[in-house]
Amino acid sequence: IRQGEVGSHMYIIIQGCIDVKIRMTFNTGTKNLVNVEEPIYLRQLATLFDGDHFGEMALIDLDEKEDISELSPPKQRKANCIAVERSYLLEVPHYA
């Protein structure tokens, strides 16, 4: 899973290890200089193991609405999820 992509599935870890990392930039004060990009790094938020799940936040509608049976469209992913080792996942689609 890549941060910023639109999510249409959540995942349950059957076996394996997944790191959850968020892309961040350093504020070096060079943002307004021509041809100079702010440095980017990945900050580790969590490490997930067998039985844990991830990717569900892009599928949840946090806005209040009267008819909860109406599914909301998938949203952008908030973090990167990276397999640290060979991992087996159960993929759960948004419109299950």
Side-chain angles (χ1 to χ4, degrees), residues 26-39:
F26 286 109
N27 185 3
T28 60
T30 60
K31 187 174 185 177
N32 295 328
L33 297 176
V34 176
N35 297 327
V36 176
E37 293 183 19
E38 297 286 336

Side-chain angles (χ1 to χ4, degrees), residues 7 9-10 53 55-63 65 70-78 94:
H9 294 77
M10 69 169 282
H53 62 278
E56 75 283 357
M57 292 307 295
L59 308 182
I60 296 174
D61 186 3
L62 299 177
D63 299 330
K65 55 183 174 179
E70 180 184 325
L71 292 173
S72 62
K75 296 173 183 57
Q76 286 188 330
R77 303 282 189 188
K78 302 294 184 195
H94 179 251

Side-chain angles (χ1 to χ4, degrees), residues 74-93:
K75 296 173 183 57
Q76 286 188 330
R77 303 282 189 188
K78 302 294 184 195
N80 297 288
C81 296
I82 304 162
V84 177
E85 61 187 32
R86 183 181 300 257
S87 298
Y88 298 92
L89 309 173
L90 174 64
E91 184 178 66
V92 181

